[in-house]
């Protein structure tokens, strides 16, 4: 099935005490894993990363083990799983059928039992089409919730790093470990603190006209899924997704393909012998596009996104088929562009209109399951996970906890002797700033010199801090190791916002040297 591009003799092991200990991860080979080459299914493009992509670092910190790098449609351009010099990836249960792309190998590895979690990417549906084709779960988060740094870009405006799993709970656990703001990633977004989503009550349903082009099996499976949703207590409301479909058509049918050309077109322009002909032709189509074309499509998309959002006034989620058909590899070979275009009907618009999604296999008796997906508004990720679990009768995963931001100001700063206590836990840099001018800093004695920060009612100053983010489990283990008289509490920053940060018991600074005037720990070290 040509699932693997690189599979080491021994897996790359994570920490020994995280929530994902024993979980085997297959990483799509456009995601950097230090010590394993990244090819994007183009050997001439290969490079050897020296550091993990944040999603890999966070999974390892949670205890998972990376068992290898998987095949894909070259440069993540395709929904079919056949556009690779390493060979086409077929469906594990039906070798004549495609596995779906572009994250073909990752989904197939999970379906074949060779991995517990598959890491994919999804720009046009590549984290959901393979889930439908291989009969597994595919979770595509809100754009920007999961970092894309260390992932070969396709269309950076719409790329998402995704998860495949055999159950919703397993996928949710992996997504929760991966997700969270990354200041070094320009596409990263902060999850809002004031989310007010309740559980899904009203589910949008498509009418028959929207199912044109679907096979009889898909139509029947979708109607069975709607009946199951009604039986599970969801209220079904017919919705019109024409604006969503119109937005999806812009990704390949408009000027946004220029982003792919900007990402890897220069390499294809050298005419490498291992370039896929279909991928090269798609990227070559960007040559005739102008900045005016891109500006026009960007404005069109902004209008479509606003209009598409009107559906959330009537429903909490929308249930659709994931794919209209599952073609054979031979059918793709005969019509690579046409089949690919048809496969994207229900999935391609999702990132463009800024929605989240989960694709699940819906059982239909003795045959292969039919893929259906739940779509939700941005940041309703864990809400639709729980709704999908209810639809399938699975245990509902817990609501995802956002990463916790922590301000450090002394020995845990980048480059200081205790910073490894953050980096070993997968902490991500957020920003460097200062506190409000309401603190005094003191130099404390000890084996490792460190500052003590005390809030005062008058006579204080501002001191430099670095803000880092950790997953809740990592934050808990970090805080448990803080020795007295230090602890954590609420720090006020210069802009008036607050963050958890290091503070010191006031009794511990009696007789200690005050160093507030130096503006921070680094300033004091420099003065010495």
């Amino acid at each position: 099935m040509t699932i693997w591009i690189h599979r080491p003799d021994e897996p790359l092991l994570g920490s020994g005490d995280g929530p994902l200990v024993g979980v085997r991860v297959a990483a799509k080979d456009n995601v950097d894993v230090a010590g394993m080459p990244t090819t994007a299914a183009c050997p001439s493009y290969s490079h050897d990363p020296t550091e993990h992509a944040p999603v890999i670092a966070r999974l390892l910190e949670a205890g998972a083990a990376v068992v290898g790098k998987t095949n894909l449609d070259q440069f993540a351009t395709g929904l079919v799983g056949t556009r690779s010099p390493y060979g086409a990836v077929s469906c594990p249960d039906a070798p004549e059928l495609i596995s779906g792309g572009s994250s073909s190998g990752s989904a197939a590895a999970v379906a074949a039992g060779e991995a517990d979690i598959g890491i994919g990417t999804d720009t046009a549906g590549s984290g959901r089409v393979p889930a439908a084709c291989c009969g597994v779960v595919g979770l595509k988060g809100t754009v920007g919730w999961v970092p894309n740094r260390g992932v070969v870009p396709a269309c950076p405006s719409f790329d998402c790093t995704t998860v495949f799993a055999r159950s919703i709970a397993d996928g949710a656990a992996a997504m929760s470990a991966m997700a969270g703001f990354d200041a070094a990633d320009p596409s990263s977004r902060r999850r809002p603190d004031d989310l007010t989503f309740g559980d899904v009550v009203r589910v949008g349903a498509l009418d028959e006209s929207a199912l044109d082009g679907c096979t009889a099996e898909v139509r029947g499976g979708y109607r069975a899924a709607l009946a199951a949703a009604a039986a599970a207590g969801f209220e079904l409301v017919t919705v019109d997704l024409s604006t969503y479909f119109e937005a999806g058509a812009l990704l390949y049918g408009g000027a946004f393909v220029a982003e792919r050309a900007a990402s890897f077109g220069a390499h294809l322009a050298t005419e490498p012998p291992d370039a896929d002909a279909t991928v090269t032709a798609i990227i070559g189509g960007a040559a005739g596009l102008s900045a005016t074309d891109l500006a026009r499509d960007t404005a069109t998309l902004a209008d479509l996104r606003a209009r598409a959002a009107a559906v959330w006034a009537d429903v909490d989620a929308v249930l659709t088929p994931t794919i209209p058909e599952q073609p054979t590899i031979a059918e793709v070979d005969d019509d690579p562009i046409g089949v690919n275009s048809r496969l994207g009907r229900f999935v391609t618009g999702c990132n463009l209109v800024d929605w989240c999604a989960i694709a699940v296999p819906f059982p239909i008796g003795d045959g292969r399951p039919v893929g259906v997906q739940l779509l939700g508004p941005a940041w309703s990720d864990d809400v639709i996970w729980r709704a999908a679990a209810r639809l399938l009768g699975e245990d509902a995963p817990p609501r995802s906890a956002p990463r916790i931001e922590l301000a450090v100001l002394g020995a845990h700063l980048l480059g200081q002797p205790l910073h490894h206590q953050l980096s070993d836990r997968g902490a991500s840099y957020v920003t460097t700033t200062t506190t409000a001018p309401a603190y005094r800093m003191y130099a404390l004695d000890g084996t490792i010199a460190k500052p003590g920060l005390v809030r005062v009612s008058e006579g204080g100053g501002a001191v430099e801090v670095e803000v880092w983010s950790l997953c809740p489990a990592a934050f808990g283990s970090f805080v448990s190791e803080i020795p007295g008289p230090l602890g954590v509490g609420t720090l006020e920053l210069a802009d008036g916002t607050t963050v958890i940060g290091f503070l010191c018991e006031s009794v511990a600074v009696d007789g200690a040297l005050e160093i507030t005037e130096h503006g921070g720990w680094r300033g004091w070290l420099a003065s010495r």
Side-chain angles (χ1 to χ4, degrees):
M1 292 184 289
T2 61
I3 288 174
W4 302 97
I5 289 179
H6 178 79
R7 199 171 190 184
D9 294 335
E10 297 293 334
L12 176 62
L13 300 177
S15 63
D17 58 356
L20 300 182
V21 168
V23 172
R24 301 166 300 160
V25 173
K28 185 176 181 178
D29 198 22
N30 60 345
V31 180
D32 284 347
V33 179
M36 302 182 194
T38 298
T39 71
C42 186
S44 61
Y45 182 82
S46 178
H47 68 275
D48 296 311
T50 57
E51 63 179 26
H52 302 308
V55 293
I56 299 298
R58 292 174 181 182
L59 288 168
L60 292 170
E61 185 275 328
V66 179
V67 297
K69 305 292 290 296
T70 56
N71 205 353
L72 65 149
D73 281 324
Q74 192 170 80
F75 292 113
T77 302
L79 293 174
V80 289
T82 65
R83 300 173 179 176
S84 170
Y86 296 97
V89 183
S90 61
C91 170
D93 293 336
E96 74 281 5
L97 300 178
I98 66 166
S99 60
S102 62
S103 309
S104 51
S106 292
V110 172
E114 297 182 21
D116 304 304
I117 294 295
I119 303 306
T121 60
D122 187 315
T123 304
S126 298
R128 290 162 286 152
V129 170
C133 290
C134 294
V136 297
V137 175
L139 290 82
K140 187 217 76 71
T142 298
V143 177
W145 186 37
V146 178
N148 290 323
R149 183 163 57 91
V151 179
V152 177
C155 290
S157 296
F158 310 114
D159 292 345
C160 292
T161 305
T162 64
V163 163
F164 300 104
R166 285 186 290 277
S167 73
I168 296 170
D170 288 348
M175 282 288 284
S176 296
M178 292 162 49
F181 183 69
D182 176 15
D185 179 355
S187 68
S188 188
R189 299 161 69 187
R190 291 184 184 277
R191 192 183 192 202
D193 294 328
D194 57 349
L195 296 175
T196 58
F197 296 112
D199 287 335
V200 171
V201 175
R202 301 163 302 165
V203 171
L206 303 180
D207 63 22
E208 285 295 331
S209 65
L211 302 180
D212 288 348
C214 293
T215 64
E217 182 182 55
V218 169
R219 285 173 178 265
Y222 176 61
R223 292 304 168 200
L226 289 176
F234 294 111
E235 176 188 348
L236 299 182
V237 179
T238 301
V239 295
D240 177 4
L241 286 192
S242 57
T243 306
Y244 170 87
F245 296 141
E246 190 177 348
L250 287 175
L251 189 61
Y252 280 112
F256 291 117
V257 72
E259 289 200 23
R260 293 184 189 265
S263 296
F264 50 83
H267 182 75
L268 293 178
T270 67
E271 301 182 354
D274 51 5
D276 181 86
T278 302
V279 173
T280 299
I282 291 169
I283 303 311
L289 298 171
S290 68
T292 302
D293 295 326
L294 185 58
R296 181 174 54 248
D297 282 359
T298 299
T300 298
L301 178 58
D303 175 64
L304 292 172
R305 180 178 292 178
R307 289 161 50 198
V311 73
W312 306 126
D314 300 319
V315 296
D316 308 306
V318 175
L319 181 65
T320 79
T322 307
I323 52 176
E325 61 180 298
Q326 185 170 0
T328 65
I329 292 175
E331 287 171 334
V332 173
D333 289 343
D334 289 341
D335 183 15
I337 298 294
V339 171
N340 192 94
S341 179
R342 294 198 301 272
L343 286 173
R345 173 168 173 77
F346 298 107
V347 294
T348 301
C350 192
N351 292 346
L352 282 83
V353 297
D354 197 19
W355 294 356
C356 59
I358 179 171
V360 297
F362 185 79
I364 52 170
D366 296 332
R368 286 178 48 78
V370 167
V372 296
Q373 70 170 345
L374 274 173
L375 302 168
W379 306 112
S380 67
D381 304 83
D382 52 2
V383 176
I384 62 169
W385 300 346
R386 294 168 66 84
R390 181 175 160 191
L391 173 66
L392 298 185
E394 292 188 13
D395 292 336
R399 291 190 180 274
S400 60
R403 289 175 71 86
I404 298 172
E405 294 188 352
L406 172 72
V408 299
L409 52 127
H412 291 95
L413 294 167
L414 184 64
Q416 295 301 305
L418 295 183
H419 181 71
H420 68 89
Q421 294 180 354
L422 289 174
S423 59
D424 290 349
R425 289 176 167 86
S428 297
Y429 173 77
V430 177
T431 190
T432 298
T433 184
T434 63
T435 68
Y439 297 89
R440 289 182 179 177
M441 177 182 278
Y442 299 83
L444 304 180
D445 294 329
T447 304
I448 296 178
K450 57 179 70 73
L453 191 70
V454 178
R455 184 166 186 128
V456 294
S457 58
E458 58 182 24
V463 298
E464 181 187 60
V465 296
E466 286 178 357
V467 181
W468 294 78
S469 74
L470 303 95
C471 72
F475 175 81
S477 68
F478 177 84
V479 171
S480 69
E481 295 182 2
I482 299 174
L486 300 179
V488 294
T490 301
L491 290 188
E492 183 183 358
L493 301 180
D495 62 1
T497 61
T498 58
V499 67
I500 297 171
F502 275 88
L503 289 169
C504 182
E505 298 175 16
S506 58
V507 67
V509 302
D510 290 345
L513 175 66
E514 183 176 353
I515 58 174
T516 312
E517 64 180 321
H518 296 286
W521 187 245
R522 288 195 179 95
W524 180 70
L525 291 178
S527 74
R528 300 173 65 196

